[in-house]
Amino acid sequence: MKLVRFGQPGAEKPGLVDKQGAIRDLSVHISDFTGANLSPASLDRLRAIEPESLPLAPAGVRLGAPVAGTRNFVAIGLNYADHAKETGQEIPAEPILFNKAPTCICGPNDDIMYPKNSDRMDWEVEIAFVVGTRSRYVEEKDALAHIAGYCLCNDVSERRFQVKRAGQWVKGKSAETFGPLGPFLVTPDEIPDVQNLAMALDVNGDRKQTGSTSTMIFSIPFLLAYVTQFMVLEPGDVVTTGTPPGVGSAKTPPEYLKAGDELVLRVEGLGEQRAKVVPFKL
């Protein structure tokens, strides 16, 4: 299934995408894609519904992030060998973990806002997974059973905050609108091989990133198992798994986003994001 949330910010409804690509309203069957509603049993109940029996969402409706109630937004750094190389850093012996504030999550096509006092905003196309079952000291062989689905993520980053402002990467990763997710939450049965998906990101029509999940250093099952050795992941939590090469800060000279720039992100099977960069505003 391809699951979506549609409507104005804070008032999104749950939906699914039918075979014709139309959004169907699931709100009579489920309150939202959060918590226990992401469990295997809950998703099986939704899978049994005939999409044509559901009302259509309004044409052109805004899409929100495809998951709600996220309490923990974990990210993996330097998880692509070619990206580590372009940044001049060693391939990590263990996954690098950092947090993005859940308050940075926004819809896939929402405007991305420059933070106050920022001048080095960068892009990162990624695949994220959403937890469907409470995950605590999970074994790698059991990891996929804990995943409700996958979605496209832009790990928007402010490099001066991240690198020059001391402390943890979270400073450069958590500003408002720095976590676009979606358009879809795609259930695992729709993705034959999550470790072999093409990825791309364009800025103003110019290709900046081209990659594949096949060059991940640490696989998605390994990452879920690894993260749960240090923290409990609850249903609705999001883990975004790293980016392929082509980030702006690694180019010569560096390239950073500016107000008015338009981004298009794609991950095979997970849809497309289209977003515009806008100036800071209160």
Side-chain angles (χ1 to χ4, degrees):
M1 293 182 294
K2 290 183 174 70
L3 306 174
V4 298
R5 297 173 65 249
F6 63 92
Q8 292 304 304
E12 293 94 344
K13 293 182 177 182
L16 60 78
V17 180
D18 66 21
K19 291 180 180 179
Q20 288 71 44
I23 297 173
R24 299 282 179 164
D25 188 344
L26 274 170
S27 58
V28 70
H29 294 279
I30 194 170
S31 59
D32 208 345
F33 293 126
T34 184
N37 289 337
L38 293 166
S39 71
S42 177
L43 295 180
D44 282 345
R45 286 193 293 273
L46 298 181
R47 198 172 280 113
I49 297 170
E50 185 62 42
E52 286 69 24
S53 70
L54 302 169
L56 288 164
V61 68
R62 169 191 173 268
L63 294 180
V67 61
T70 298
R71 292 185 285 179
N72 204 0
F73 191 177
V74 180
I76 311 299
L78 300 178
N79 191 37
Y80 285 70
D82 34 13
H83 173 53
K85 181 179 179 180
E86 75 171 349
T87 63
Q89 300 190 61
E90 298 285 339
I91 292 177
E94 294 189 45
I96 296 170
L97 306 185
F98 61 92
N99 279 88
K100 291 174 74 75
T103 51
C104 80
I105 293 173
C106 63
N109 306 316
D110 290 348
D111 289 342
I112 298 172
M113 184 175 67
Y114 244 97
K116 190 175 182 180
N117 302 317
S118 165
D119 60 3
R120 298 183 186 179
M121 186 193 287
D122 205 350
W123 56 80
E124 294 191 12
V125 61
E126 306 196 0
I127 179 174
F129 62 83
V130 175
V131 177
T133 304
R134 191 171 194 263
S135 303
R136 175 175 175 267
Y137 295 105
V138 174
E139 297 291 333
E140 184 177 356
K141 63 181 177 61
D142 302 320
L144 291 180
H146 291 258
I147 293 176
Y150 305 100
C151 62
L152 175 53
C153 174
N154 187 357
D155 178 18
V156 185
S157 307
E158 211 297 336
R159 300 303 188 188
R160 187 166 60 85
F161 293 1
Q162 178 184 354
V163 178
K164 302 295 186 182
R165 297 292 298 272
Q168 300 297 314
W169 288 3
V170 64
K171 290 181 179 179
K173 299 286 190 171
S174 295
E176 189 177 0
T177 72
F178 269 30
L181 297 178
F184 318 123
L185 177 64
V186 183
T187 53
D189 56 295
E190 298 255 341
I191 306 293
D193 184 0
V194 75
Q195 298 300 157
N196 190 28
L197 302 178
M199 311 168 73
L201 181 146
D202 299 342
V203 180
N204 299 327
D206 293 331
R207 179 59 47 88
K208 301 298 184 181
Q209 288 186 275
T210 302
S212 169
T213 58
S214 63
T215 68
M216 279 186 184
I217 298 166
F218 304 105
S219 70
I220 285 174
F222 181 90
L223 289 173
L224 185 142
Y226 184 85
V227 172
T228 64
Q229 307 308 301
F230 303 99
M231 66 188 79
V232 175
L233 294 175
E234 298 283 1
D237 286 349
V238 176
V239 179
T240 191
T241 61
T243 197
V247 298
S249 56
K251 296 183 182 299
T252 306
E255 299 177 13
Y256 297 111
L257 293 167
K258 60 186 184 301
D261 284 346
E262 296 184 353
L263 294 89
V264 179
L265 292 76
R266 301 179 183 90
V267 173
E268 184 180 354
L270 301 184
E272 177 181 280
Q273 293 185 3
R274 290 181 173 267
K276 184 175 181 179
V277 178
V278 299
F280 171 78
K281 57 185 175 182
L282 288 174

